[in-house]
Amino acid sequence: MSEEALPFKEKYYPGLEEYLDFYEESVRDIEGFWDSMARGLEWYKTWDKVLDDSNPPFYRWFTGAETNINLNALDRWIGTPVFDKVAYYWEGEPGDRRTISYRELYREVNRLAWSLREEVGIKPGDTVTIYLPMIPELPTTMLAVTRLGGIHSVVFSGFSSRALADRIVDAKAKVLVTADGFYRRGRVVRLKDSADEAIALAREQGVEVEKVVVVKRAGVEVSWSEGRDVWYHDLLEKAPSRAYVRPEPRKATDVLFILYTSGTTGRPKGIMHSVGGYMTYVYNVFQWNWDPAPGDVYWCAADIGWITGHTYIVYGPLMNGVTSVMYEGAPDYPDPGRIWSIVDRYDVTTFYTSPTLLRLLRKYGDQWVEKHSLETLRLLGTVGEPINPEVWKWYYEKIGKRKAPIVDTWWQTETGAAMISPAPGISLVPLKPGSATLPLPGIVADVLDYTGDPAEPGKKGLIVIKKPWPGMLMGIWGDPERYVRTYWSTFSRPEEGIWIYYPADYAVRDEDGYFWLLGRADEVLNVAGHRLGTIELEDAILTHPAVSEAAVVGAPDPVKGQVPVAAVVLREGYEPSPELEEDIKRRVRELIGPIAVPARILFVKKLPKTRSGKIMRRILIALLEGRPIGDTSTLEDPTAVEEVKKAVEEFKRLAKK
Ligand code: WTA
């Protein structure tokens, strides 16, 4: 083990050997393993076959089986202590609060489903687009739609009307569920206005939204289309107070939901997840990740508009009878202590979020953390990006007080739930800051070099998944050819019957077999023939005490091919200066070598990011290469681009001299 490994073995959990025993057993007979894992769930009818692999890569799980995810998320809790347990502690940004038990959630889902069937006319197989903020009506609507056998397509409420329209059109959705507005940084975002615009844009593309269900959240005036628009609360009123809708039996191989994600082209991909496979995978992985205990209060501080929220705020916790926290607003509003005050208010035991949020909160300074006790936290998690060891250590020491293991979960929209991550619910392996550790049970992962051979330990390559797993995507909505091309064409050898899933992420496996995820494979730099990961450079820069955030990209260079350029956001109390620039460069030289030293540090106040918090390096690259910046519909704050643009122009002017 490397010196950095942190063994929790003595204190909390058994360790590596126990985990490996379980893992080896799981992959010896994958079908047998998932067969037994699926039996922990409720089905109307069990499967004839665990895995149908007769038409790869269109794998189908649990063929012949019938179920409905509501059976496991809600109905199974009737008559058990969970039914009267809190499902969600919800907090609005202005400070309003709601507590919703499993019983209350069950009742509202049934009433909503009743009205969606009787009043709105939703039938099994219909697609429903949901454009809602982080309010309890969002999980309620998702469950009501799947209860009826419909397919939901949730669109993040931060998306523009244009992005919403594209997704409505692609899914051919006839029904849209939205809200009048919601709170963000103390202001009301008028969501219904965007929804109306999107409906008009969709009409231009030939798709007519026939019904719009509107949740009253912000109490603002909205324009109304009689006959088309209906209030959510009026729909509930129409249903009998004890309405019961039988969860529609669905084939395990039917589509449970679509979720759009971006690919290498501008056109979003509708990732399809299956009824039976997704349900089985999420139910089990949730337990492995969070080792849920009856008294836990679990908070996944993400947005339900992304896969993390689907899996880890809605379906994962509900299928495990867990109490969750849900928060509507900005994480640093009204002050940078908001997140930690929520942790203390609800005695959160399990906290799961993104490195982006941690970097933001770390930047504000530790005084905001120190005001809060955080003593109930026993397990921490991260997702979405590689976590820089510096930030890992801050999380571990300042937030978890050195007693909460960090569950770094590597996965994608396409994989349904975590794939590479510690599994304290089984046995916690020693942790290494910055490594997502080992594959979860049933997952056969490897790192390959460019030729498709396994990369040597310590050598960078591309992560691949070599066996199907139940949480895998079924395909891309309406585009089977793109599914095969994007995920299965890089390393597969169909003539030999070998199919390999390609996630397009760089990774290294170390001597202990641990996986270190190094970012997307489309973000590599080639500096004078040396391959450099942007993440490696960013890690180095982030070790500098003045630096809060960093994005490194390659700028074209006539001699070296590319040179690294870093856009850097400073921590509070630091000012840009030539001395500081030199100091940061020195740091990179020390940690990686002269080859990696950025040609320039561009000091900015904000990095261009997506609304989900991912740094949009491709915008920086386009500016540096003098190309159009392309589609910016996912950009969180357009002013960030202007600032970067100015800095890039100045850099180019100086470079010419
Ligand atoms: C990245 C989010 C390193 C990765 C669940 C992947 C990570 C992409 C991690 C998927 C992690 C996610 N460490 N990188 N723990 N988790 N990623 O579809 O590049 O929004 O391919 O799913 O995020 O992003 P997506």
Side-chain angles (χ1 to χ4, degrees):
M1 285 282 128
S2 87
E3 285 174 0
E4 293 228 298
L6 296 167
F8 288 87
K9 186 169 173 169
E10 295 76 20
K11 268 173 98 179
Y12 297 100
Y13 299 96
L16 187 60
E17 268 173 54
E18 291 84 344
Y19 181 72
L20 290 179
D21 283 349
F22 190 97
Y23 177 80
E24 297 301 341
E25 185 65 34
S26 77
V27 293
R28 197 164 301 145
D29 168 17
I30 285 194
E31 288 187 48
F33 175 69
W34 290 116
D35 182 293
S36 67
M37 290 297 115
R39 290 188 192 273
L41 288 152
E42 306 279 334
W43 304 79
Y44 284 124
K45 182 169 172 285
T46 51
W47 42 96
D48 305 324
K49 207 166 172 4
V50 176
L51 171 64
D52 173 2
D53 56 2
S54 59
N55 182 27
F58 297 90
Y59 297 98
R60 293 297 177 255
W61 286 86
F62 306 111
T63 51
E66 285 182 12
T67 187
N68 185 303
I69 202 160
N70 271 246
L71 291 182
N72 291 292
L74 294 174
D75 299 50
R76 84 178 300 176
W77 305 122
I78 297 169
T80 76
V82 172
F83 212 45
D84 286 306
K85 195 172 157 173
V86 173
Y88 293 109
Y89 287 116
W90 175 83
E91 188 160 313
E93 194 187 73
D96 45 339
R97 290 173 208 159
R98 287 166 67 186
T99 300
I100 298 150
S101 69
Y102 274 82
R103 180 189 298 275
E104 288 163 332
L105 185 63
Y106 171 83
R107 290 232 186 290
E108 187 154 323
V109 167
N110 271 286
R111 292 174 72 196
L112 183 63
W114 191 94
S115 290
L116 287 177
R117 188 180 64 197
E118 303 299 323
E119 303 284 327
V120 179
I122 292 177
K123 296 182 302 303
D126 286 354
T127 52
V128 176
T129 299
I130 306 178
Y131 184 54
L132 283 173
M134 283 290 286
I135 54 178
E137 288 79 3
L138 174 48
T140 306
T141 306
M142 292 163 75
L143 288 158
V145 169
T146 54
R147 193 172 187 89
L148 292 171
I151 299 169
H152 57 67
S153 161
V154 177
V155 178
F156 175 52
S157 62
F159 269 130
S160 64
S161 49
R162 166 64 63 187
L164 173 61
D166 292 346
R167 287 155 178 77
I168 290 172
V169 170
D170 191 79
K172 300 197 177 55
K174 296 273 188 306
V175 178
L176 174 67
V177 183
T178 187
D180 58 347
F182 65 96
Y183 294 91
R184 189 84 191 173
R185 288 186 199 291
R187 290 182 31 239
V188 171
V189 178
R190 298 180 54 87
L191 201 64
K192 176 67 161 55
D193 292 353
S194 307
D196 286 334
E197 278 170 37
I199 291 165
L201 288 168
R203 184 176 304 128
E204 287 171 16
Q205 298 176 60
V207 173
E208 190 68 42
V209 174
E210 288 160 12
K211 280 280 177 200
V212 182
V213 179
V214 187
V215 179
K216 190 175 244 163
R217 159 61 185 140
V220 290
E221 284 276 325
V222 292
S223 65
W224 203 255
S225 168
E226 279 309 326
R228 185 197 72 184
D229 297 357
V230 49
W231 287 109
Y232 177 100
H233 56 261
D234 286 342
L235 276 186
L236 281 188
E237 280 304 304
K238 291 209 168 112
S241 63
R242 297 248 162 183
Y244 169 72
V245 173
R246 179 171 188 244
E248 179 72 22
R250 302 216 71 204
K251 285 196 274 192
T253 55
D254 281 340
V255 178
L256 178 68
F257 65 80
I258 315 171
L259 183 59
Y260 287 88
T261 186
S262 44
T264 44
T265 72
R267 205 160 51 87
K269 301 180 278 197
I271 303 300
M272 299 189 287
H273 278 289
S274 69
V275 168
Y278 176 85
M279 182 178 94
T280 301
Y281 194 61
V282 168
Y283 169 73
N284 286 288
V285 172
F286 189 91
Q287 290 173 15
W288 299 339
N289 284 151
W290 312 119
D291 187 26
D296 277 355
V297 178
Y298 159 87
W299 185 14
C300 169
D303 196 290
I304 293 174
W306 310 114
I307 190 69
T308 303
H310 281 57
T311 297
Y312 287 96
I313 303 178
V314 184
Y315 294 116
L318 294 177
M319 284 195 284
N320 283 284
V322 164
T323 296
S324 290
V325 171
M326 221 179 126
Y327 170 59
E328 175 186 39
D332 52 354
Y333 186 87
D335 65 50
R338 182 68 186 260
I339 294 287
W340 313 126
S341 80
I342 295 175
V343 168
D344 272 4
R345 174 153 39 256
Y346 302 102
D347 289 343
V348 171
T349 55
T350 315
F351 180 67
Y352 183 34
T353 193
S354 64
T356 288
L357 179 73
L358 297 173
R359 288 196 299 267
L360 174 78
L361 298 178
R362 175 174 173 259
K363 171 182 139 181
Y364 283 118
D366 295 344
Q367 70 274 22
W368 294 104
V369 178
E370 282 154 9
K371 282 188 189 155
H372 305 279
S373 120
L374 309 183
E375 66 178 5
T376 49
L377 290 173
R378 68 167 183 90
L379 211 47
L380 301 173
T382 69
V383 56
E385 299 164 79
I387 180 163
N388 323 89
E390 286 301 303
V391 178
W392 196 103
K393 283 175 192 145
W394 178 82
Y395 198 24
Y396 178 67
E397 277 160 20
K398 293 289 170 192
I399 307 305
K401 321 283 187 207
R402 308 184 63 90
K403 64 179 167 56
I406 295 179
V407 178
D408 179 348
T409 61
W410 176 84
W411 57 296
Q412 310 180 298
T413 303
E414 292 87 343
T415 71
M419 299 286 281
I420 311 275
S421 85
I426 298 165
S427 179
L428 188 70
V429 302
L431 303 179
K432 302 186 191 190
S435 167
T437 73
L438 299 167
L440 287 172
I443 301 304
V444 181
D446 203 350
V447 175
L448 303 182
D449 66 20
Y450 282 94
T451 66
D453 291 330
E456 281 168 42
K459 285 260 158 56
K460 186 161 132 188
L462 295 152
I463 188 170
V464 293
I465 311 297
K466 291 171 147 175
K467 288 267 164 71
W469 68 103
M472 67 193 303
L473 73 165
M474 295 177 71
I476 297 174
W477 181 260
D479 201 345
E481 192 269 326
R482 189 177 180 189
Y483 165 69
V484 179
R485 180 162 35 90
T486 308
Y487 303 108
W488 302 94
S489 66
T490 310
F491 290 117
S492 300
R493 298 195 299 276
E495 26 348 305
E496 295 167 49
I498 294 171
W499 290 90
I500 295 176
Y501 174 79
Y502 174 66
D505 265 20
Y506 287 116
V508 170
R509 257 189 123 163
D510 69 16
E511 297 286 348
D512 299 322
Y514 277 46
F515 285 74
W516 299 74
L517 281 307
L518 303 175
R520 300 292 300 192
D522 28 25
E523 287 161 8
V524 72
L525 307 187
N526 190 330
V527 181
H530 299 268
R531 287 180 187 279
L532 287 173
T534 52
I535 309 295
E536 282 165 75
L537 270 81
E538 289 169 12
D539 277 352
I541 293 172
L542 278 167
T543 65
H544 194 284
V547 176
S548 158
E549 291 204 276
V552 173
V553 296
D557 182 273
V559 181
K560 297 181 175 175
Q562 278 186 313
V563 288
V565 169
V568 160
V569 180
L570 294 175
R571 297 185 79 178
E572 220 95 322
Y574 290 91
E575 288 299 324
S577 70
E579 291 73 24
L580 187 54
E581 176 164 2
E582 277 318 304
D583 207 51
I584 295 171
K585 289 181 179 173
R586 195 171 316 125
R587 180 68 61 124
V588 177
R589 187 188 311 268
E590 280 167 14
L591 291 178
I592 306 179
I595 185 73
V597 174
R600 186 69 200 266
I601 309 283
L602 310 171
F603 292 108
V604 293
K605 295 222 164 51
K606 218 169 182 187
L607 295 174
K609 284 189 190 166
T610 64
R611 295 193 175 90
S612 64
K614 283 202 172 56
I615 298 170
M616 293 180 84
R617 292 183 188 79
R618 82 174 163 75
I619 289 187
L620 273 166
I621 295 169
L623 289 171
L624 284 162
E625 294 179 359
R627 287 187 291 109
I629 57 174
D631 172 33
T632 54
S633 64
T634 57
L635 195 64
E636 185 221 14
D637 180 355
T639 62
V641 175
E642 287 312 308
E643 205 195 354
V644 171
K645 208 175 191 168
K646 280 209 195 93
V648 168
E649 275 158 14
E650 203 216 354
F651 161 66
K652 284 186 177 169
R653 218 176 34 246
L654 291 174
K656 277 214 188 84
K657 277 188 191 161

